Amino acid sequence: MYSIEFIRCAVAYREEGHTFRELRNTFGIPPETYYQWKEKLGNGYDGTKVFRERKRIIDKEELKRAAEEKPDAYLYEFAQKFGCTPQAIFLMFKKLKITRKKRPLPIMKSRKRNGRNIEHG
């Protein structure tokens, strides 16, 4: 990542009338990079990166609350509530590290069948 001052110097150097060969030798950038930087500066680029969070259909906190309120609900029921697909709900659960698998207590099978013991071994 180049600093904004370096980008400004490289663009100004080329605009002073220097060739692309001189630009490459001096700054080590190809003509394509120069044109990209010139366009960025023309659009008001100031070197700061803008971080935007995507607007999502599924609100993370609301999904957590819904999962706590109704832990036995099916994915399609959550999907109807949030207006999306069950796959989207599944992926959001995965991202939030919420598991949906219910593991019942182990069921011990009876070792007696028809009145006789069955040996396992």
PDB file of all heavy atoms in Angstrom, residues 101-109:
ATOM      1  N   LYS A 101     -28.052 -28.667  16.305  1.00  0.00           N
ATOM      2  CA  LYS A 101     -28.166 -30.099  16.535  1.00  0.00           C
ATOM      3  C   LYS A 101     -28.460 -30.354  18.003  1.00  0.00           C
ATOM      4  O   LYS A 101     -27.786 -29.858  18.889  1.00  0.00           O
ATOM      5  CB  LYS A 101     -26.883 -30.809  16.133  1.00  0.00           C
ATOM      6  CG  LYS A 101     -26.971 -32.319  16.242  1.00  0.00           C
ATOM      7  CD  LYS A 101     -25.700 -32.973  15.782  1.00  0.00           C
ATOM      8  CE  LYS A 101     -25.778 -33.205  14.309  1.00  0.00           C
ATOM      9  NZ  LYS A 101     -24.675 -34.002  13.815  1.00  0.00           N
ATOM     10  N   LYS A 102     -29.461 -31.150  18.224  1.00  0.00           N
ATOM     11  CA  LYS A 102     -29.811 -31.515  19.587  1.00  0.00           C
ATOM     12  C   LYS A 102     -29.302 -32.924  19.837  1.00  0.00           C
ATOM     13  O   LYS A 102     -29.602 -33.848  19.092  1.00  0.00           O
ATOM     14  CB  LYS A 102     -31.331 -31.486  19.781  1.00  0.00           C
ATOM     15  CG  LYS A 102     -31.946 -30.163  19.408  1.00  0.00           C
ATOM     16  CD  LYS A 102     -31.481 -29.072  20.338  1.00  0.00           C
ATOM     17  CE  LYS A 102     -32.137 -27.770  20.011  1.00  0.00           C
ATOM     18  NZ  LYS A 102     -31.280 -26.761  19.509  1.00  0.00           N
ATOM     19  N   ARG A 103     -28.562 -33.112  20.879  1.00  0.00           N
ATOM     20  CA  ARG A 103     -28.013 -34.425  21.219  1.00  0.00           C
ATOM     21  C   ARG A 103     -28.737 -34.963  22.442  1.00  0.00           C
ATOM     22  O   ARG A 103     -28.480 -34.522  23.562  1.00  0.00           O
ATOM     23  CB  ARG A 103     -26.523 -34.311  21.480  1.00  0.00           C
ATOM     24  CG  ARG A 103     -25.753 -33.933  20.232  1.00  0.00           C
ATOM     25  CD  ARG A 103     -24.269 -34.086  20.466  1.00  0.00           C
ATOM     26  NE  ARG A 103     -23.577 -33.844  19.222  1.00  0.00           N
ATOM     27  CZ  ARG A 103     -23.015 -32.694  18.896  1.00  0.00           C
ATOM     28  NH1 ARG A 103     -23.067 -31.688  19.725  1.00  0.00           N
ATOM     29  NH2 ARG A 103     -22.405 -32.556  17.745  1.00  0.00           N
ATOM     30  N   PRO A 104     -29.657 -35.894  22.243  1.00  0.00           N
ATOM     31  CA  PRO A 104     -30.362 -36.432  23.407  1.00  0.00           C
ATOM     32  C   PRO A 104     -29.428 -37.291  24.247  1.00  0.00           C
ATOM     33  O   PRO A 104     -28.355 -37.700  23.800  1.00  0.00           O
ATOM     34  CB  PRO A 104     -31.473 -37.272  22.787  1.00  0.00           C
ATOM     35  CG  PRO A 104     -30.960 -37.634  21.444  1.00  0.00           C
ATOM     36  CD  PRO A 104     -30.071 -36.501  21.001  1.00  0.00           C
ATOM     37  N   LEU A 105     -29.859 -37.565  25.452  1.00  0.00           N
ATOM     38  CA  LEU A 105     -29.074 -38.434  26.323  1.00  0.00           C
ATOM     39  C   LEU A 105     -28.937 -39.804  25.679  1.00  0.00           C
ATOM     40  O   LEU A 105     -29.845 -40.267  24.986  1.00  0.00           O
ATOM     41  CB  LEU A 105     -29.754 -38.554  27.687  1.00  0.00           C
ATOM     42  CG  LEU A 105     -29.834 -37.269  28.495  1.00  0.00           C
ATOM     43  CD1 LEU A 105     -30.671 -37.503  29.743  1.00  0.00           C
ATOM     44  CD2 LEU A 105     -28.461 -36.776  28.855  1.00  0.00           C
ATOM     45  N   PRO A 106     -27.823 -40.466  25.881  1.00  0.00           N
ATOM     46  CA  PRO A 106     -27.661 -41.777  25.266  1.00  0.00           C
ATOM     47  C   PRO A 106     -28.731 -42.753  25.764  1.00  0.00           C
ATOM     48  O   PRO A 106     -29.064 -42.778  26.944  1.00  0.00           O
ATOM     49  CB  PRO A 106     -26.276 -42.240  25.687  1.00  0.00           C
ATOM     50  CG  PRO A 106     -25.736 -41.205  26.577  1.00  0.00           C
ATOM     51  CD  PRO A 106     -26.685 -40.072  26.665  1.00  0.00           C
ATOM     52  N   ILE A 107     -29.231 -43.521  24.847  1.00  0.00           N
ATOM     53  CA  ILE A 107     -30.259 -44.496  25.190  1.00  0.00           C
ATOM     54  C   ILE A 107     -29.592 -45.859  25.309  1.00  0.00           C
ATOM     55  O   ILE A 107     -28.947 -46.323  24.371  1.00  0.00           O
ATOM     56  CB  ILE A 107     -31.353 -44.539  24.115  1.00  0.00           C
ATOM     57  CG1 ILE A 107     -32.002 -43.154  24.009  1.00  0.00           C
ATOM     58  CG2 ILE A 107     -32.381 -45.614  24.422  1.00  0.00           C
ATOM     59  CD1 ILE A 107     -32.918 -43.007  22.830  1.00  0.00           C
ATOM     60  N   MET A 108     -29.717 -46.450  26.460  1.00  0.00           N
ATOM     61  CA  MET A 108     -29.117 -47.766  26.681  1.00  0.00           C
ATOM     62  C   MET A 108     -30.075 -48.829  26.179  1.00  0.00           C
ATOM     63  O   MET A 108     -31.240 -48.867  26.576  1.00  0.00           O
ATOM     64  CB  MET A 108     -28.821 -47.983  28.162  1.00  0.00           C
ATOM     65  CG  MET A 108     -27.827 -46.997  28.728  1.00  0.00           C
ATOM     66  SD  MET A 108     -26.218 -47.084  27.953  1.00  0.00           S
ATOM     67  CE  MET A 108     -25.695 -48.687  28.488  1.00  0.00           C
ATOM     68  N   LYS A 109     -29.608 -49.646  25.283  1.00  0.00           N
ATOM     69  CA  LYS A 109     -30.431 -50.736  24.789  1.00  0.00           C
ATOM     70  C   LYS A 109     -30.451 -51.853  25.828  1.00  0.00           C
ATOM     71  O   LYS A 109     -29.460 -52.123  26.489  1.00  0.00           O
ATOM     72  CB  LYS A 109     -29.880 -51.269  23.475  1.00  0.00           C
ATOM     73  CG  LYS A 109     -30.069 -50.313  22.334  1.00  0.00           C
ATOM     74  CD  LYS A 109     -29.672 -50.960  21.046  1.00  0.00           C
ATOM     75  CE  LYS A 109     -29.898 -50.013  19.904  1.00  0.00           C
ATOM     76  NZ  LYS A 109     -29.513 -50.595  18.648  1.00  0.00           N
TER      77      LYS A 109
END
